[in-house]
Amino acid sequence: MAGVQLQGVTKIFDGEVRAVDSVDLDIEDGEFVVLVGPSGCGKSTLLRLIAGLEEVSEGTIRLGGQDVTDMLERDRDIAMVFQNYALYPHMTVRRNLGFALRLRRLPAADRERRVEEVARILGLDALMERKPAALSGGQRQRVAMGRAMVREPAAFLMDEPLSNLDAKLRVAMRAELARLHERLGVTTIYVTHDQVEAMVLGQRVAVLRDGVLQQCAAPEELYDRPVNLFVAAFIGSPAMNLVAGRLAGDRVEIAGHSLPLANSSPVVGQERRVIVGLRPSDLELAAREPSLPRLRVEALVVERLGSESNVIFPVDAPRVDTEATRAAAEAQAAEDEQLLVEDDRAQFTARLAGRPAIEPGGQLELAVRTERLYFFDPTSGETLAAAARDPARASI
């Protein structure tokens, strides 16, 4: 096993397109790191650079402390699992699992031992004489993973390995992957476009946009402390509610409402325009939280999910429309939500516990957890937590 270090890694196509732009990332030995972001953000290209399938334009890649930047793919101690399984259709599961070991001329006894051990770990024992055409999607994916495992590599690279599976099987395979990593402890770099999958699997999650690393942190930190508007809008389902507002001393003005700021808020005392964010789970029915500030709203759509309900409602303010929010919305396929109303008002979602008696068109009062409001600079998109510590950055 080995850690992976990226220093200033850049990939330029056709002399001008920066698919990956100066990425610095230190992945520790045995860590499971997920690369996530919108389509075309550079996550798969970055994985291919680590694998040696693409040449690095600038920067350095180290594996276990060794510089492998210019090393051929076959000489790197890395195993890759692809989206399309890449199994040999004419070979049985047994032969698929052992093929790479035969190429390495591993002794037959060692080869058989590794194949049998991996088959047992992945529950493939009863499928060893079948060919890929006779396997289900989940079984094929386990074979693809087994073929990587038998090599006993220093690191696994996985490029959207679950995207071809149906939703139920994807959830089951996610659990298998998590258990497998816990058991093997091999450094794993995993690419996905699905931010829920990223949050479930990753010990740390690296969020990319336009080839640039935005933030790399534990899932909880990404959710609770996003460094900018893109990360805030991209991470979380339903997505964070966003609206233009203004700070006014100890209050924030949004959508015709003036809400008190929590004393602990880093923006207390500022006077400036901001973009305000609020997670759907930080809105409650006012009757349950009578001490909190309130919003009176009209339900547009009610989504009943059993143990909880999503209530979508418009607010009296225009939608936040920036490059960052458009990129995040595109990644989350949020265009469907934008068709719910015919005007340009912002739409909020409240995720409420239980099954409240609310119908579309009905009025309701929601309590706002103002201590959990997020504030972003409308020009740079950066969070204002840093600005509050640096007065020079807190301009109107």
Side-chain angles (χ1 to χ4, degrees):
M1 296 187 293
V4 179
Q5 293 79 41
L6 310 180
Q7 295 178 324
V9 172
T10 298
K11 178 60 180 179
I12 304 173
F13 288 106
D14 300 325
E16 57 182 21
V17 179
R18 284 182 172 260
V20 175
D21 193 355
S22 301
V23 170
D24 293 322
L25 185 59
D26 194 345
I27 299 169
E28 302 210 2
D29 184 7
E31 193 174 17
F32 195 125
V33 170
V34 179
L35 308 180
V36 69
S39 177
C41 71
K43 54 189 183 294
S44 289
T45 300
L46 184 58
L47 200 74
R48 291 174 63 83
L49 291 170
I50 297 170
L53 299 174
E54 297 280 358
E55 292 185 6
V56 174
S57 302
E58 301 170 10
T60 304
I61 298 175
R62 288 186 171 85
L63 177 64
Q66 180 184 7
D67 188 339
V68 299
T69 310
D70 299 317
M71 188 179 291
L72 294 175
E73 179 270 338
R74 64 173 178 266
D75 296 327
R76 304 186 189 196
D77 191 11
I78 284 174
M80 195 157 181
V81 180
F82 295 94
Q83 176 180 350
N84 61 359
Y85 315 137
L87 302 179
Y88 296 106
H90 62 288
M91 293 185 182
T92 63
V93 169
R94 184 183 301 279
R95 292 190 63 201
N96 263 287
L97 291 175
F99 184 71
L101 302 182
R102 287 198 297 273
L103 290 181
R104 293 184 173 190
R105 301 185 184 279
L106 202 71
D110 289 343
R111 187 168 69 233
E112 188 64 19
R113 175 187 56 79
R114 287 198 197 179
V115 167
E116 292 294 338
E117 182 179 1
V118 166
R120 178 178 50 78
I121 292 173
L122 294 175
L124 296 171
D125 312 67
L127 308 174
M128 297 295 275
E129 305 313 319
R130 293 189 190 181
K131 293 183 178 179
L135 302 177
S136 68
Q139 289 168 341
R140 291 177 195 174
Q141 190 55 273
R142 291 208 301 273
V143 176
M145 292 183 58
R147 200 168 62 175
M149 287 170 56
V150 295
R151 293 175 52 185
E152 299 180 356
F156 289 131
L157 305 183
M158 301 188 181
D159 192 2
E160 305 215 40
L162 308 184
S163 61
N164 286 340
L165 305 179
D166 62 54
K168 185 175 182 180
L169 187 53
R170 223 168 28 239
V171 172
M173 286 299 295
R174 279 205 309 250
E176 286 194 32
L177 273 173
R179 286 197 300 269
L180 193 60
H181 178 262
E182 185 176 352
R183 179 171 184 173
L184 300 177
V186 178
T187 305
T188 302
I189 307 174
Y190 185 103
V191 163
T192 181
H193 66 279
D194 184 339
Q195 57 103 355
V196 174
E197 189 169 286
M199 299 286 278
V200 169
L201 283 173
Q203 293 174 318
R204 283 192 299 153
V205 178
V207 182
L208 288 97
R209 177 188 169 209
D210 296 335
V212 178
L213 179 63
Q214 304 291 305
Q215 185 175 1
C216 183
E220 297 83 0
E221 184 174 348
L222 285 179
Y223 188 85
D224 291 334
R225 293 183 290 280
V227 298
N228 58 37
L229 191 56
F230 174 77
V231 176
F234 180 72
I235 295 296
S237 182
M240 180 184 286
N241 301 308
L242 296 167
V243 68
R246 184 172 181 85
L247 296 173
D250 61 353
R251 304 186 75 83
V252 59
E253 298 167 357
I254 57 168
H257 300 273
S258 179
L259 303 176
L261 292 170
N263 292 333
S264 59
S265 173
V267 297
V268 168
Q270 295 191 36
E271 302 273 346
R272 59 170 296 167
R273 293 186 300 274
V274 290
I275 292 174
V276 181
L278 180 65
R279 295 286 184 195
S281 56
D282 292 332
L283 287 162
E284 301 274 358
L285 287 174
R288 297 175 182 169
E289 297 287 351
S291 64
L292 296 178
R294 302 183 178 195
L295 300 177
R296 187 165 183 82
V297 303
E298 179 181 339
L300 183 68
V301 173
V302 180
E303 299 175 336
R304 305 193 187 280
L305 307 175
S307 61
E308 56 193 7
S309 300
N310 291 337
V311 178
I312 301 172
F313 57 93
V315 297
D316 190 19
R319 293 193 184 104
V320 173
D321 186 19
T322 68
E323 288 186 7
T325 56
R326 285 195 296 272
E330 182 179 330
Q332 292 199 356
E335 292 86 351
D336 290 342
E337 294 179 7
Q338 296 174 0
L339 296 176
L340 290 172
V341 292
E342 296 179 355
D343 58 32
D344 290 328
R345 288 182 297 173
Q347 292 177 58
F348 273 24
T349 300
R351 172 157 282 185
L352 307 176
R355 306 174 187 178
I358 302 167
E359 298 297 332
Q363 300 286 323
L364 69 153
E365 280 194 327
L366 294 174
V368 182
R369 295 189 177 279
T370 53
E371 77 278 9
R372 298 183 187 173
L373 290 174
Y374 295 80
F375 302 95
F376 303 93
D377 183 284
T379 302
S380 69
E382 293 182 7
T383 181
L384 291 180
R389 292 191 295 268
D390 183 0
R393 296 178 59 191
S395 58
I396 293 178

